[in-house]
Amino acid sequence: GANKGDMNVPCWTSTCNYSLNVTKGWYDAGDHGKYVVNGGISVWTLHNMYERGQYFGPANSSLGDGKLNIPESANGIPDILDEARWEMEFLLSMQVPVGQTKAGMVHHKMHDVGWTGFPLAPHEDSQQRALVPPSTAATLNLAAVAAQSARIWKDLDAGFAATCLTAATRAWDAAQANPSDIYSGN
C-alpha cells in the first residue's frame, strides 16, 4: 500500500548521499523507528541468556529450537538465536558502507521524517523514512554486539560469524577515528 518500506532508506537531508536496505530488525515503542543502541542491548541480552543457558543446562531447554512461535522456528538453530539474528542483521545493515565518508561508523537510528500518527500499524505507515547520522555510541554498540555474535555463531554459521567479526572490527576502528560523534536529537 502506501508504506514506503525500509529497502531503500536515504540519509537525513544533507547528511550523506546513499541509501541503505534496513528491512530487518524490530520497531521500537510504536513510533516505527529502529534504534541501534536499543537493539544492541536487546541482542546482547538474548545472546547472554543463550550463553548462560549453555552453562546451566536444562534451563536452556525453553530457549531451544522449535520453542518459539517465529518464522525461523524448527530450523536447527535455537529460536532465541534466530530472533537475535533478525535484529543483528538490521544492526549490520546500519553500518556506513566502505568508500563512504566515515565508513565503518553506524547510523544511530532510522525513523519517519514526520511524526507517525497513533494508532497506526507499521505496514500502514506512509511516511518517508530517513537514516540519522552515525554516532560513536551506535558504532561502539555494534562493535560489541557483533563481536559477541561472531563468538556465538562461529560453530552454527561460520559465514555469518565472519561477517559479524568483520563488522565489529570495522566499527571499532571507525569509533577510534571518530570518538566525538555524539548523537544529537536536532
Side-chain angles (χ1 to χ4, degrees), residues 43-51 81 84 148-149 152-153:
V43 169
W44 177 87
T45 301
L46 294 177
H47 282 163
N48 193 49
M49 288 173 62
Y50 172 77
E51 286 188 306
L81 293 183
Q148 180 192 38
S149 190
I152 289 171
W153 283 90

Side-chain angles (χ1 to χ4, degrees), residues 163-176:
T163 296
C164 290
L165 186 57
T166 297
T169 302
R170 286 182 59 231
W172 177 256
D173 292 344
Q176 298 309 301

Side-chain angles (χ1 to χ4, degrees), residues 40-83:
I41 189 64
S42 299
V43 169
W44 177 87
T45 301
L46 294 177
H47 282 163
N48 193 49
M49 288 173 62
Y50 172 77
E51 286 188 306
R52 289 177 56 85
Q54 298 301 298
Y55 292 105
F56 298 115
N60 192 39
S61 63
S62 64
L63 306 175
D65 188 30
K67 301 293 184 178
L68 301 176
N69 184 17
I70 61 174
E72 303 85 3
S73 191
N75 66 351
I77 301 292
D79 289 348
I80 194 169
L81 293 183
D82 284 326
E83 191 61 29

